[in-house]
Amino acid sequence: MRMPLSIKAIVPVAITVTGFVVICCQLLYQAIQQDMIQDTVIHETALAQTVVRSTRYAMLKDDRETVKNIVSTVGAQHDVEQVRIFNKRGVVMFSSHPGEINRQMDQKSEGCIVCHAGPAPLTTMGSMQQARRYKNERGESVLAITAPIYNEPECYTAPCHVHSSAQKVLGTLDIGLSQNSLLESLASLRSKMALFSVLVLVLTVAGVSAILRRSLFLPVQRLSLYAVQLAAGRRDIEPPDLNEELETIGKSLQELSQGSSENDSRTPPKS
């Protein structure tokens, strides 16, 4: 069974538009996703630096209770999964989860391998290098930032500290934020982009169909009806008013029909 001209013309357009919209939306979603993750990392890095600065004065005064309260307060905020401060040996000194205090962390663990991957630990990292993602015990996604606590002049010159000026890093702050809000935003974005893709597809196909119907399908239908009338022997009708190309075909059909009629009239009857 032969397909109508309208289907042959519209289906390829629909397939092409669908593929184009899907690819563009996928690329756009990936770009937005990367931007949102990067913004989250930058925000979390700033939060980590805020915690480090907030605890610096208490550390200089060796006020462990104030540091403990700051870590507990930050850890109690919404979406904050954990806040931990390690010393240079990898022992948890302060934590929003009291059960972790005084625990020795393995340098090959997920949070430590970022700095201890090489023969010598890193002392400086960019914000994206500090970030890592993992699943907590509830199976939720967590984005964590590992921020070094540097040995600045007020640290190694303080009377309560015994750190030499040659030691660059005193410890590490590890802070993790739940990614539920980000994942929900990304899921909402995917749904909206899927709806947008469907709307673009429907509107494009409807628009193309309307344009093709007006400029092609109806003129071809009128030309086809004119050709059928000529084949039926009607010579008194004029070609329909069409666009230039189809009107030329209509006039050619008329001339062919008239020429055929004249030839038939001049042909002598057989005896």
Side-chain angles (χ1 to χ4, degrees):
M1 181 179 179
R2 295 184 177 180
M3 296 176 61
L5 177 62
S6 58
I7 296 180
K8 290 182 179 180
I10 294 176
V11 169
V13 173
I15 294 175
T16 302
V17 171
T18 300
F20 178 78
V21 170
V22 169
I23 293 174
C24 289
C25 286
Q26 181 68 22
L27 294 175
L28 179 60
Y29 172 78
Q30 291 177 355
I32 294 176
Q33 182 184 33
Q34 291 298 323
D35 289 342
M36 293 178 67
I37 293 176
Q38 186 171 3
D39 289 343
T40 302
V41 171
I42 293 174
H43 166 73
E44 192 167 348
T45 302
L47 177 60
Q49 294 301 324
T50 300
V51 175
V52 171
R53 294 189 183 100
S54 299
T55 58
R56 183 176 299 280
Y57 180 78
M59 290 181 179
L60 290 175
K61 298 298 182 181
D62 199 20
D63 188 351
R64 299 175 64 87
E65 190 64 26
T66 299
V67 177
K68 177 182 177 182
N69 290 334
I70 293 174
V71 170
S72 298
T73 301
V74 175
Q77 293 185 18
H78 179 64
D79 283 342
V80 176
E81 182 69 21
Q82 66 184 25
V83 181
R84 298 180 294 190
I85 296 179
F86 305 92
N87 63 14
K88 62 179 182 179
R89 295 184 299 273
V91 178
V92 180
M93 303 302 296
F94 304 94
S95 175
S96 56
H97 302 295
E100 294 182 337
I101 296 177
N102 295 325
R103 179 186 299 177
Q104 176 73 47
M105 301 299 294
D106 183 6
Q107 292 184 355
K108 301 301 181 182
S109 63
E110 188 175 12
C112 303
I113 192 64
V114 178
C115 296
H116 295 274
L122 297 177
T123 57
T124 57
M125 292 185 299
S127 59
M128 298 305 294
Q129 289 178 299
Q130 298 175 16
R132 71 186 191 280
R133 301 179 74 174
Y134 66 93
K135 297 286 186 179
N136 60 15
E137 64 276 4
R138 299 184 300 274
E140 299 174 346
S141 179
V142 177
L143 179 64
I145 291 291
T146 302
I149 301 174
Y150 293 109
N151 186 18
E152 298 183 357
E154 60 265 27
C155 296
Y156 57 77
T157 58
C160 63
H161 284 201
V162 293
H163 309 298
S164 67
S165 59
Q167 184 177 345
K168 293 184 177 180
V169 178
L170 300 179
T172 304
L173 170 71
D174 185 58
I175 182 170
L177 268 64
S178 173
Q179 295 298 281
N180 289 339
S181 298
L182 176 61
L183 295 177
E184 290 174 0
S185 299
L186 291 174
S188 176
L189 177 63
R190 284 195 301 269
S191 300
K192 292 177 181 178
M193 295 188 72
L195 178 61
F196 172 76
S197 300
V198 172
L199 290 176
V200 169
L201 175 62
V202 171
L203 293 176
T204 302
V205 172
V208 171
S209 299
I211 294 174
L212 289 178
R213 175 179 172 80
R214 180 177 179 181
S215 61
L216 181 61
F217 299 151
L218 290 179
V220 169
Q221 185 178 7
R222 293 170 61 189
L223 181 61
S224 177
L225 177 61
Y226 176 69
V228 171
Q229 291 174 337
L230 290 178
R234 295 192 57 182
R235 306 291 187 268
D236 56 336
I237 57 176
E238 294 294 328
D241 185 17
L242 305 172
N243 57 51
E244 184 177 354
E245 292 81 3
L246 294 180
E247 188 173 352
T248 301
I249 296 176
K251 291 181 179 179
S252 299
L253 290 175
Q254 184 183 36
E255 293 173 358
L256 289 174
S257 177
Q258 291 175 352
S260 176
S261 177
E262 292 176 0
N263 291 334
D264 291 342
S265 61
R266 287 197 296 264
T267 300
K270 293 182 180 180
S271 56

